[in-house]
Amino acid sequence: MTWVLGTAGGLVLGFLMEMARRFGPRIWVGWPIRAYVEFIRGTPFLVQLFVLYYGGPLIGLRLDALPAGVLGLSLYGAAYFTEILRAGFDAVPKGQIEAARAIGLPGRTIVWRIMLPVMMVSALPALVNFAIILTKETVILSMITVPEIMFQTQTMMSETFAFVLPILILALFFWGFVEVISRFGRRLERRFTHYLLEES
């Protein structure tokens, strides 16, 4: 659940930031978002998590472990999703946009009917890849006692004094989970590509 909420939150936040950076006022929106992206990408996730969980009360932000973990994962993912979406938008052929303007399509229609579908086809492999990375980042949440799978595994290990088997099972679980995400991503990519071919 932590991974689902964190990934969804990061993707939504990243999309909103990229839309604001691309279509909003560059001075007031572009530079703060760029600074945020560079800061998040330039610092370890564990450090960000500690600052949020242990440093939050200093500014009046008191969160339990689970909300702090979801928020931390969302903020961390948003920076990377923003950059992935930026590259996806940049991959949209300029000729398609110019052709749409030439036939009089309004800007909003160009964004939703042309830019977004093409962007998704270009960005989807990277989006899925980073979503897979986030699945493995969730093990770090055990450092602030978020009751996710790594935390549960550590608890079981401390109670049973069995170390190798639980870790091996955990590794196999992540491997299978990543395979499911990868297959889902490839199927989604084929659907977007098929949609574009029908629209063209």
Side-chain angles (χ1 to χ4, degrees):
M1 185 183 74
T2 306
W3 171 77
V4 173
L5 294 176
T7 302
L11 187 56
V12 170
L13 184 57
F15 177 77
L16 292 176
M17 287 197 301
E18 178 54 26
M19 294 297 284
R21 180 169 62 177
R22 186 165 293 272
F23 302 109
R26 186 173 297 273
I27 295 178
W28 301 107
V29 177
W31 287 108
I33 291 177
R34 182 176 179 181
Y36 168 78
V37 169
E38 294 302 321
F39 174 78
I40 294 296
R41 294 198 306 173
T43 54
F45 177 51
L46 181 59
V47 173
Q48 299 167 21
L49 200 58
F50 280 170
V51 169
L52 178 65
Y53 186 60
Y54 296 111
L58 298 177
I59 59 172
L61 183 63
R62 299 180 182 275
L63 297 173
D64 292 333
L66 182 58
V70 172
L71 180 59
L73 205 63
S74 297
L75 294 175
Y76 175 73
Y80 289 88
F81 284 134
T82 298
E83 285 299 287
I84 293 171
L85 294 173
R86 178 193 60 78
F89 273 115
D90 290 344
V92 178
K94 304 296 183 183
Q96 292 187 12
I97 300 175
E98 293 173 359
R101 289 172 179 166
I103 62 175
L105 290 179
R108 183 174 299 179
T109 302
I110 294 174
V111 171
W112 289 100
R113 296 294 301 275
I114 297 175
M115 295 181 67
L116 277 177
V118 176
M119 179 276 294
M120 283 303 299
V121 171
S122 301
L124 194 57
L127 291 173
V128 173
N129 187 58
F130 191 72
I132 289 173
I133 291 174
L134 287 182
T135 65
K136 291 175 279 189
E137 294 288 2
T138 57
V139 301
I140 296 178
L141 301 181
S142 65
M143 299 295 293
I144 60 170
T145 69
V146 174
E148 47 75 56
I149 189 169
M150 184 62 186
F151 182 79
Q152 302 295 344
T153 302
Q154 289 174 326
T155 301
M156 182 176 64
M157 289 164 59
S158 64
E159 293 175 351
T160 62
F161 298 101
F163 299 98
V164 177
L165 185 59
I167 291 296
L168 180 59
I169 293 174
L170 181 64
L172 292 174
F173 168 80
F174 273 105
W175 182 28
F177 192 49
V178 165
E179 284 297 315
V180 171
I181 298 172
S182 299
R183 289 176 183 273
F184 175 75
R186 287 193 291 268
R187 181 175 297 180
L188 202 58
E189 186 178 354
R190 287 195 297 269
R191 288 188 177 182
F192 271 108
T193 303
H194 182 68
Y195 170 80
L196 284 182
L197 291 175
E198 287 185 341
E199 290 292 314
S200 61

